[in-house]
Amino acid sequence: MFYCIFISCFLHIPKFVSEAMTVNISLCFYKTPEEFHHEGDVVIGAFFPIHTYYSPNKVPHPSVPYKYMDNYLQYNFKNYQYILALVFAIEEINENPNLLPNISLGFDFYNVRFTEKETLMNVCFWLTGQGQKKILPNYNCAKNNFTTALTGTSWTTSAQIGTLLQLFKFPQLSFGPYDPILSDRGQYSSLYQMAPKYSSISRGIVSLMVHFRWSWVGLILPDDHKGYIILSELREDMERKGVCIAFVKMIPLTLTSYYNKFWENMDKTNVIIIYGDVDSLTGLMRNIGQRLLTAKVWVMNIEPHITDYADYFMFDSFHGSLIFTHKYRESFDLTTFIQTVNPYKYPEDIYLPKLWHLFFKCSFSDIDCLLLANCQSNASLDVLPSHILDMTISEESNNIYNAMYAVAHSLHQMSLQQVQKQPHENGEAMAFFPWQLNIFLKDINERGNISLDWRHKLNAEYDILNLWNLPKGLGQKVKIGSFSANAPEGQQLSLSEHMIQWAGGFSEIPQSVCSESCRPGFRKVILEGKAICCYNCTPCADNEISNETDVDQCVKCPESHYANTEKSNCFQKTVSFLAYEEPLGITLASITLCLSALTAFVIGVFVKYRDTPIVKANNRGLSYTLLITITFCLLCSLNFIGQPNTASCILQQTIFGVAFTMALATVLAKAITVVIAFKATFPGRMVRWLMTSRAPNYIIPICTLIQLLLCGIWMATSPPFIDQDVHAEHGQILLFCNKGSSVAFHCVLGYLCSLALGGYTMAFLSRNLPDIFNESKFLSFSMLVFFCVWVTFLPVYHSTKGKVMVAMEVFSILASSAALLGFIFAPKCYIILFRPDRNSFHHIRDKTHSQRNKSLKI
């Protein structure tokens, strides 16, 4: 309810102003002169504009030089605050008994005109005393001392007047924005700028851009030396902070340019920086207001000076603007003073009657153009809308206040010196030349503690204001933060974001970027020929992350970590190995135990039927040895399953090599025994010795010792060790046993394959030897399978990684062991268990007799 009433009240402000502006304006309003005099013993000349003058096309006057036909005049009552600040400061000084006792300050005000010629004429009139005669007839100028000239707000006005005053070393105080040209002591030795040097405002503006992540901004600057200076500073600070310039528009001299190329590409960005002074930006801001550009955030160094609100539309182009103003000491007494000002209290002020006539329905007397007392009751300047007269103390008003105190302290110091040298009589006016004041102005302290040289400070502090102008005419400037270049890095900018009202069309912090931000997991790729703020986003490479937006390079995760799917975080990898708990480990372990149990069963069968012909005929002792070694071959695969350690890594290869060597040597011994047994049919001395001495059985320890020697050399030179593979499986660190020496491992495998090849050769040669239980065919086939398994193992082993590689080695061990068990002992077990009739001496005799008869017939 309160909000509705609040909005309703402010919606009546335009109506109030409209009614005021549509009253019948008296001729006295135009007859009243634009200059006036404020009485004082020592007089200050004030030269600044109350009107806003602009020439859209600068059409030259046909006869008057330096004058234009299309000059337009508009009252800018915001500038009237400068006069009020001047009056307030002078009254405060005159009432101070400790400062300039018995001496009063006064001033002559001159409204700065269209051209340089008119401005300089006013200065000449004032210096010669003709100006006071023009303002006050029969005025005696001899009794007044002229001290200083107060000029502003444009640097051009101060420069024009300063060129003339410099001839006489006449002191001049400029209250407008600081300008480097005016600081040239060779050209303007008696000109003093009251405004501080804005050396860090570009840093403050860029810090604001960085804070809100506005990396794509436009610049609108005056087409003069100040514009190019600030452009250079902004470019440097923006490049250092990674902020890019979308466009740079220099404000042209004529308004016609505003309607063609000037407004092109304005929609490329949502944030536009405007820098300049009131005079250079008046036409621009008028055009912006007329175009109703509400979807822009304007960042400025001055507030919008728009006095034409004839449309009285609810929305304003500058609502939500952010304004950097130099931080200064606020004078609340001045605000109170403005509230008490009226034309009857200050009859010499010719602008107060005009204000009362326009806005409070006061009438002028037709005889002498004096203001009649028929005004609205309780008329006061503080009821006027802020776009007409702002109650917030401006920076220029603060500079005027300080300037008056600088003059007062200078005069006070000079008066004390004169009294010490030559006391003057009571009532005698203070006599001095204006140029003498320069000595004191250079080092005077305003109110005893602030030097005029504060303008030389390299770093300054700024308040950041947010313009609330919804509905239009509200004109409230709210402090939402500050910037201090002297503060530590990271603490220079202070903002209260919750207080900011953004421009129309933005419900949250506006975005102003050339390219959308690259979210975590992506990195920027700068486009060739484009600004660094214009880029594409590309995903981070494998195992690289970016956990922030708009990163230039992704960061590689440590070897012990892995990148998540989004590539925004690195996570600790889990340790992995071929464990018994996982399906692959359980499967391989189960197969191992089953085959081991089956081997034990075969051993039991052979032990039980040890006296049968089939067991005795195939060298019972070697069969037992082979079955036992096959059991060890099967069980050694369990060393490859589970978490590896140093002992298991060494035992893996040692037991594997020795066990399979014994198995293959046993097969070789069996094959040689078969050959020797058939050679015994035609016995010689050597054959009989081999049969009686059981020499083939020595093959097993000899071959085993050779393998032990190879393994010993391996373990001594480069033994297996625990290693980890961080790349084999995503998100895991695989623990495995590194072979240590690849050459030694392949030598062990090569030796096993050579034994298998030798066993296969001997068995193949004896495959057709006549015998009922000749197992040479089975031995040769088992050796062929063994050889194929391990020859196939090598390329597969080297092409796999991780657990699959370990599982492949285990599978090869099981496959080759199963081949030995199955092809050699399965036929025998079948005869023993399922065809016992063929495992008898009677069957053997019949089979032998049948084979002999076939031989005789042949």
Side-chain angles (χ1 to χ4, degrees), residues 79-120:
N79 288 5
Y80 180 67
Q81 188 186 97
Y82 306 156
I83 295 178
L84 297 176
L86 181 62
V87 174
F88 171 75
I90 286 178
E91 285 193 356
E92 191 175 76
I93 292 170
N94 290 340
E95 293 173 0
N96 187 349
N98 299 319
L99 185 62
L100 289 178
N102 302 320
I103 299 175
S104 63
L105 292 181
F107 67 88
D108 292 328
F109 172 73
Y110 293 87
N111 190 6
V112 174
R113 299 289 181 169
F114 292 106
T115 64
E116 178 182 0
K117 178 182 177 181
E118 294 179 74
T119 301
L120 295 179

Side-chain angles (χ1 to χ4, degrees), residues 405-415 437 440-441 444 452:
Y405 268 92
V407 173
H409 281 282
S410 298
L411 290 171
H412 188 78
Q413 293 296 326
M414 188 167 59
S415 175
L437 210 60
F440 302 95
L441 283 173
I444 192 66
L452 284 180

Side-chain angles (χ1 to χ4, degrees), residues 606 610 612-627 665-677 690-691 693-698 700 771 773-775 779 824-825 828:
F606 269 60
R610 61 184 176 276
T612 59
I614 196 169
V615 175
K616 295 175 67 177
N618 289 287
N619 199 330
R620 183 171 52 190
L622 291 178
S623 296
Y624 291 155
T625 302
L626 181 57
L627 286 170
T666 303
V667 173
L668 180 60
K670 272 179 165 288
I672 293 175
T673 301
V674 172
V675 174
I676 293 175
L690 290 174
M691 290 297 294
S693 63
R694 297 182 180 274
N697 292 347
Y698 292 106
I700 299 173
D771 187 27
F773 300 116
N774 186 1
E775 61 178 354
L779 292 176
I824 296 175
F825 294 100
K828 297 179 177 62

Side-chain angles (χ1 to χ4, degrees), residues 685-704:
R685 184 177 296 178
M686 180 62 67
V687 175
R688 287 197 303 269
W689 178 81
L690 290 174
M691 290 297 294
T692 56
S693 63
R694 297 182 180 274
N697 292 347
Y698 292 106
I699 294 175
I700 299 173
I702 293 173
C703 293
T704 304

Side-chain angles (χ1 to χ4, degrees), residues 7-156:
I7 293 296
S8 176
C9 292
F10 273 103
L11 285 175
H12 282 80
I13 291 177
K15 181 180 178 182
F16 159 74
V17 179
S18 178
E19 290 176 355
M21 299 300 284
T22 55
V23 298
N24 293 325
I25 299 178
S26 170
L27 291 176
C28 293
F29 185 89
Y30 303 103
K31 292 181 180 180
T32 307
E34 297 294 332
E35 297 80 17
F36 67 92
H37 171 76
H38 188 90
E39 184 63 35
D41 299 328
V42 178
V43 178
I44 297 167
F47 302 89
F48 52 83
I50 294 298
H51 298 112
T52 296
Y53 300 100
Y54 60 98
S55 302
N57 300 312
K58 296 189 180 295
V59 178
H61 194 277
S63 58
V64 181
Y66 307 108
K67 189 170 184 179
Y68 301 105
M69 295 291 295
D70 57 339
N71 281 333
Y72 289 89
L73 179 147
Q74 185 179 32
Y75 268 113
N76 187 354
F77 287 115
K78 279 192 172 184
N79 288 5
Y80 180 67
Q81 188 186 97
Y82 306 156
I83 295 178
L84 297 176
L86 181 62
V87 174
F88 171 75
I90 286 178
E91 285 193 356
E92 191 175 76
I93 292 170
N94 290 340
E95 293 173 0
N96 187 349
N98 299 319
L99 185 62
L100 289 178
N102 302 320
I103 299 175
S104 63
L105 292 181
F107 67 88
D108 292 328
F109 172 73
Y110 293 87
N111 190 6
V112 174
R113 299 289 181 169
F114 292 106
T115 64
E116 178 182 0
K117 178 182 177 181
E118 294 179 74
T119 301
L120 295 179
M121 285 178 62
N122 282 331
V123 176
C124 291
F125 286 151
W126 178 66
L127 290 175
T128 58
Q130 299 300 315
Q132 288 87 344
K133 291 183 178 180
K134 178 181 176 183
I135 299 170
L136 299 174
N138 302 322
Y139 181 81
N140 183 10
C141 63
K143 67 177 182 179
N144 281 85
N145 285 323
F146 301 134
T147 55
T148 58
L150 180 69
T151 61
T153 57
S154 169
W155 73 272
T156 54

Side-chain angles (χ1 to χ4, degrees), residues 609-643:
Y609 298 97
R610 61 184 176 276
D611 295 325
T612 59
I614 196 169
V615 175
K616 295 175 67 177
N618 289 287
N619 199 330
R620 183 171 52 190
L622 291 178
S623 296
Y624 291 155
T625 302
L626 181 57
L627 286 170
I628 293 172
T629 55
I630 289 175
T631 304
F632 278 102
C633 289
L634 290 168
L635 293 177
C636 80
S637 63
L638 296 178
N639 279 328
F640 293 84
I641 306 174
Q643 184 171 358

